[in-house]
């Protein structure tokens, strides 16, 4: 029987001291550590580091592979995967807003996850922003986003925009192609409101007008963040009501093993960065 794993880590509330950061960064591969070191801001280092640590925790706990023997490589679309197919698992991570999330399955399935903060910080008016984004959504999707009758608040419109964007991102991430397809041909129809304590699975996808046999799990992490998980086959025999478990730093690092000695100069470089722009 396969297991579904859904984890969320609030990286924005994680404020490591030197010792904690040195340990955390020593628990990821050298190529990942090098990539993280290129970020300009601390916030980007932490949000991405959390994703690498979530992947390592998932593979360690659900395959039995020793923590320090797990090796991730990247496929032709730059997606992390286990080297040599060392175990049959599927996983994907995403970070945005305050959270880094992981969706994992102990089976081979096309899977994508995307988390979105339900906010707009673009500076332009909402109507101008929607005009610029027009070609990314179908006519039916814009009706859902804007509302079929006048009176839908800007916050409601932004929330539905973010929900649709998370759905599209989760789907193209599951396909492994990135956003290179014509997004207007990927047409989502939602049927239920999202809530924090339950998983909505009745959203339907049409591609070029043809209904697809994909499953989309949607939920709210909190009032400000939605998350969507795309699964290729809609297997009715599997349970799809796994809500995201919010895990703290101690739980994130359970069973973690340093892969390298601590690196004080790297840590100094991290703390010399600005937190955000």
């Amino acid at each position: 029987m396969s297991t579904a794993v859904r984890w969320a880590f609030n990286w924005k509330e994680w404020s490591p001291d030197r010792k904690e950061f040195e340990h955390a960064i020593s628990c990821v591969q050298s190529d990942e550590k090098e990539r993280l070191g290129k970020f300009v801001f601390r916030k980007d280092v932490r949000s991405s580091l959390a994703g690498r640590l979530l992947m390592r925790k998932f593979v360690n706990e659900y395959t039995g592979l020793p923590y320090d023997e797990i090796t991730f490589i990247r496929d032709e679309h730059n997606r992390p995967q286990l080297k040599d197919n060392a175990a049959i698992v599927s996983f994907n991570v995403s970070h945005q807003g305050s959270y880094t999330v992981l969706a994992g399955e102990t089976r081979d399935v096309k899977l994508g996850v995307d988390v979105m903060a339900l906010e707009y910080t673009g500076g332009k008016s909402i109507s101008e922003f929607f005009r610029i984004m027009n070609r990314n959504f179908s006519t039916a999707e814009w009706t859902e986003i804007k509302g079929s009758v006048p009176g839908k608040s800007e916050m409601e419109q932004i929330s539905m925009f973010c929900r649709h964007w998370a759905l599209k991102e989760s789907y193209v991430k599951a396909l492994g192609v990135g956003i290179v397809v014509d997004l207007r041909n990927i047409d989502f129809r939602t049927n239920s409101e999202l809530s924090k304590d339950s998983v909505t699975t009745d959203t339907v996808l049409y591609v070029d007008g043809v209904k697809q046999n994909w499953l989309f799990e949607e939920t709210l992490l909190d009032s400000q963040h939605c998350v969507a998980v795309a699964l290729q086959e809609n297997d009715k025999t599997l349970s799809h009501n796994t809500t995201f478990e919010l895990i703290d730093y101690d739980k994130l690092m359970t069973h973690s093993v340093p892969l390298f000695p601590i690196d004080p100069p790297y840590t100094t470089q991290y703390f010399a960065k600005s937190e955000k722009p």
Side-chain angles (χ1 to χ4, degrees):
M1 182 67 183
S2 67
T3 301
V5 176
R6 307 288 184 262
W7 286 332
F9 178 75
N10 190 324
W11 63 263
K12 196 170 269 189
E13 291 182 353
W14 177 37
S15 184
D17 58 18
R18 274 192 76 95
K19 185 177 178 183
E20 192 168 278
F21 181 81
E22 280 176 340
H23 174 67
I25 201 70
S26 74
C27 292
V28 298
Q29 292 166 203
S30 56
D31 58 322
E32 295 171 335
K33 177 180 166 185
E34 185 180 340
R35 192 178 288 113
L36 292 168
K38 293 176 181 174
F39 284 118
V40 175
F41 301 108
R42 287 204 306 264
K43 70 178 186 66
D44 298 316
V45 177
R46 288 204 311 287
S47 60
S48 295
L49 172 57
R52 309 276 79 79
L53 293 168
L54 283 168
M55 284 167 27
R56 196 162 281 275
K57 173 182 174 68
F58 168 67
V59 172
N60 171 243
E61 291 187 12
Y62 286 91
T63 70
L65 287 171
Y67 196 94
D68 52 355
E69 293 178 22
I70 296 165
T71 303
F72 294 112
I73 57 172
R74 289 179 179 259
D75 66 14
E76 66 270 26
H77 301 296
N78 206 34
R79 285 164 51 100
Q81 64 181 42
L82 274 175
K83 186 179 180 183
D84 301 327
N85 297 315
I88 303 300
V89 287
S90 306
F91 56 87
N92 194 226
V93 295
S94 173
H95 55 84
Q96 212 256 337
S98 302
Y99 290 95
T100 300
V101 297
L102 173 139
E105 299 271 333
T106 56
R107 59 191 174 117
D108 185 17
V109 62
K110 284 189 174 172
L111 170 152
V113 64
D114 195 65
V115 60
M116 283 287 290
L118 303 176
E119 63 182 7
Y120 173 64
T121 56
K124 295 180 172 65
S125 69
I126 295 296
S127 58
E128 176 63 9
F129 173 64
F130 283 172
R131 187 190 67 76
I132 293 167
M133 297 298 290
N134 183 63
R135 59 196 176 89
N136 293 312
F137 297 91
S138 70
T139 302
E141 288 176 319
W142 277 120
T143 299
E144 282 198 17
I145 291 167
K146 295 178 180 178
S148 54
V149 294
K152 193 170 186 177
S153 73
E154 284 195 349
M155 187 62 230
E156 289 172 319
Q157 292 180 51
I158 284 296
S159 293
M160 186 58 87
F161 174 91
C162 293
R163 178 179 179 180
H164 273 275
W165 192 258
L167 284 164
K168 294 204 184 219
E169 279 275 12
S170 71
Y171 175 61
V172 295
K173 286 176 75 178
L175 292 178
V177 295
I179 301 238
V180 293
V181 289
D182 187 340
L183 293 181
R184 281 173 298 192
N185 297 334
I186 302 171
D187 185 9
F188 284 95
R189 311 288 172 83
T190 66
N191 290 291
S192 301
E193 299 286 322
L194 300 186
S195 73
K196 184 171 178 292
D197 301 313
S198 64
V199 180
T200 295
T201 58
D202 58 3
T203 291
V204 180
L205 169 64
Y206 293 85
V207 176
D208 295 324
V210 179
K211 186 177 178 181
Q212 304 294 303
N213 190 35
W214 279 67
L215 181 89
F216 296 90
E217 303 173 358
E218 298 176 89
T219 191
L220 295 177
L221 296 180
D222 57 27
S223 63
Q224 300 300 312
H225 295 80
C226 71
V227 62
V229 178
L231 289 161
Q232 181 184 22
E233 94 291 350
N234 195 342
D235 189 339
K236 298 289 194 292
T237 67
L238 297 173
S239 171
H240 292 287
N241 61 355
T242 306
T243 53
F244 274 78
E245 177 189 359
L246 191 58
I247 64 174
D248 61 15
Y249 177 76
D250 289 341
K251 190 155 190 175
L252 176 66
M253 301 306 289
T254 305
H255 309 308
S256 65
V257 177
L259 312 186
F260 304 100
I262 63 168
D263 185 347
Y266 188 99
T267 302
T268 299
Q269 184 187 46
Y270 165 77
F271 281 104
K273 298 174 192 277
S274 298
E275 169 65 14
K276 58 186 179 183

